[in-house]
Amino acid sequence: MILKKILGLTVAACLLNIATSYGQENFPAVAIKSTSGRSVDFAKLIGDTKDTAIIVSFWATWCVPCVTELDNISDLYKEWQAKLPFKFLAISIDDARTSQRVKPFVTGKGWPFEIYLDVNHDLKRAFNINDVPYTLVIKNNKVVYQHVGYVAGNEEELFEKIKAL
């Protein structure tokens, strides 16, 4: 009986978490930094593009699946932009020890999208993200899609989600 109640409470908590994450209309006012060191309020960054789909990808230089995903998206980025305009934000969660690597790493990769740093992991915590790569799609100030991890082909699934919006 007690086990049944605990299971019921766990399921209710999970459903509440899902409901709040998908119905989020006020994004966290967390300061992240551009690769040039400029502080940017994430909520304002998202708020400026209400009717445009925004892909937010949390990644790190040490995360092989993250880099593979961003390389593959970079290869398709121009083609996708020509078909359907959207905004792509890649937010590094490299900490203070490895964040110095981000700018030269991105420059070497030649990624065409906007890169930001969440060195203190404030934004990562605000979205309750535990693993990377973690991708969010936001449209009209709501999270409409979330995905964790990466396998080859996920970028096509992501583009299909954007087209369906």
Side-chain angles (χ1 to χ4, degrees):
M1 185 70 164
I2 293 174
L3 186 59
K4 215 175 193 178
K5 285 184 179 179
I6 291 172
L7 180 62
L9 289 172
T10 303
V11 169
C14 289
L15 290 174
L16 179 61
N17 186 28
I18 290 168
T20 56
S21 63
Y22 275 92
Q24 192 162 10
E25 292 188 16
N26 295 317
F27 289 99
V30 173
I32 54 177
K33 295 207 174 207
S34 69
T35 53
S36 63
R38 184 176 49 94
S39 186
V40 177
D41 183 331
F42 180 77
K44 289 183 180 173
L45 194 64
I46 297 299
D48 292 344
T49 56
K50 290 184 178 180
D51 59 345
T52 301
I54 304 167
I55 301 171
V56 181
S57 177
F58 288 86
W59 70 285
T61 56
W62 44 261
C63 170
V64 174
C66 301
V67 173
T68 302
E69 178 181 41
L70 293 176
D71 280 342
N72 290 340
I73 290 173
S74 177
D75 291 344
L76 299 166
Y77 189 76
K78 278 188 178 179
E79 178 185 334
W80 288 2
Q81 282 289 324
K83 292 179 181 173
L84 183 69
F86 64 92
K87 189 171 185 175
F88 192 97
L89 310 174
I91 300 178
S92 165
I93 61 157
D94 283 84
D95 61 17
R97 291 175 300 145
T98 59
S99 64
Q100 299 298 322
R101 298 182 200 158
V102 173
K103 188 174 182 176
F105 186 86
V106 169
T107 301
K109 290 287 188 182
W111 290 339
F113 21 82
E114 297 177 40
I115 307 290
Y116 294 94
L117 294 96
D118 183 26
V119 176
N120 296 325
H121 298 176
D122 294 334
L123 188 60
K124 179 183 162 208
R125 274 193 297 279
F127 279 108
N128 197 24
I129 295 171
N130 295 315
D131 295 315
V132 288
Y134 195 98
T135 305
L136 301 168
V137 176
I138 299 168
K139 184 153 184 184
N140 296 324
N141 283 332
K142 290 185 180 174
V143 175
V144 294
Y145 176 75
Q146 298 181 56
H147 181 84
V148 65
Y150 175 76
V151 293
N154 280 1
E155 63 276 6
E156 296 295 336
E157 178 183 330
L158 177 63
F159 189 59
E160 292 301 318
K161 294 287 181 189
I162 296 170
K163 285 190 333 189
L165 295 176

